[in-house]
Amino acid sequence: MTVVAKITDATPLDKAGATGLCAGANLRTPCGARRVEFIRAGDLVVTRDNGLQPVRMIWTKTITAAEIAADPSLAPIVLRSRAIGPMMPQRDVSVGAAHRLLIPGWRLLDEEDGENCLVPARDIVGLNDSSFIDRAPEEVTYYNVVFDEHQVFCANGLPVESFLPNKDTLKVAPQTVREDLRKTFPDFAPKFADYPAPRYKMRERVSYNPDFA
């Protein structure tokens, strides 16, 4: 059974979801589309702003049904075809509630049309019938792709962010992941304060223009 719900303003941000893409999300590579669960360190992925970039690390986190029942914000967000706009996404894609999507300014009421913003997927829930929380899976695995710097790339045609290691995300990442990140990026360890910042504006609690062609 699929449950439609909305994370409200009363939901604490530190309990507002996981990051990552769910299995089945296709990423663009030089060899064509490849599902995120088959991506490995060293693979090249097409990024929005920097062309082909090598994946430095990919880490996963599996959430059980019991964990979702205890913390519903851990459930994945399902975005049906065209949930955001034309060809966004091209096919259904599921992501963690805290995973950020690149939303065009024309979809946001208080932004210029050309100002693209990174917005958590949880903010999309309830925008239309094509975006909802899915609590049906018995478990879900989230895949977090890490590059040398924060990147935007497409998952089923939807622009999404790569994992951004910083003091907030490191707090919720598993200990083994924090250790692997520090080994992979020794120049940025231990707090990753100098890891390259996102090039797009990051927004929370946005208001959407519900009408699009």
Side-chain angles (χ1 to χ4, degrees):
M1 176 181 179
T2 296
V3 179
V4 179
K6 185 173 181 62
I7 296 174
T8 69
D9 290 341
T11 303
L13 291 182
D14 63 351
K15 297 290 284 184
T19 61
L21 307 173
C22 296
N26 277 314
L27 280 53
R28 291 179 61 199
T29 78
C31 300
R34 182 178 297 177
R35 289 170 58 159
V36 67
E37 61 266 38
F38 301 133
I39 295 290
R40 298 292 183 266
D43 289 347
L44 294 175
V45 170
V46 179
T47 65
R48 180 183 176 94
D49 302 291
N50 292 302
L52 292 173
Q53 291 295 314
V55 172
R56 291 295 306 279
M57 176 179 166
I58 184 164
W59 64 273
T60 64
K61 184 173 183 178
T62 299
I63 308 294
T64 65
E67 289 173 312
I68 291 175
D71 180 3
S73 75
L74 295 175
I77 305 296
V78 178
L79 300 169
R80 298 291 193 198
S81 176
R82 295 174 55 87
I84 307 301
M87 305 296 287
M88 295 174 60
Q90 296 169 347
R91 297 190 297 108
D92 296 0
V93 64
S94 297
V95 303
H99 203 88
R100 291 181 179 272
L101 321 173
L102 189 66
I103 305 298
W106 56 267
R107 293 261 34 209
L108 306 176
L109 291 176
D110 55 350
E111 290 288 353
E112 297 293 330
D113 285 356
E115 182 71 73
N116 297 323
C117 298
L118 287 165
V119 179
R122 60 176 177 261
D123 282 11
I124 307 299
V125 175
L127 176 63
N128 51 45
D129 291 339
S130 296
S131 56
F132 55 88
I133 299 173
D134 181 9
R135 298 193 182 97
E138 292 188 2
E139 67 176 27
V140 59
T141 298
Y142 293 110
Y143 296 81
N144 285 273
V145 183
V146 191
F147 296 96
D148 282 318
E149 61 181 285
H150 188 263
Q151 301 286 355
V152 170
F153 59 96
C154 284
N156 289 6
L158 180 67
V160 300
E161 69 169 349
S162 63
F163 181 73
L164 176 62
N166 58 32
K167 64 178 183 179
D168 294 323
T169 57
L170 290 175
K171 287 179 182 177
V172 297
Q175 177 64 32
T176 55
V177 171
R178 296 198 297 271
E179 293 172 355
D180 287 344
L181 282 166
R182 288 162 183 155
K183 291 176 183 177
T184 303
F185 301 100
D187 292 342
F188 298 129
K191 296 184 178 180
F192 285 81
D194 296 326
Y195 187 84
R199 57 178 49 84
Y200 296 100
K201 183 187 296 186
M202 302 180 79
R203 294 285 310 274
E204 300 273 356
R205 313 298 189 198
V206 295
S207 298
Y208 286 92
N209 177 0
D211 301 316
F212 62 92

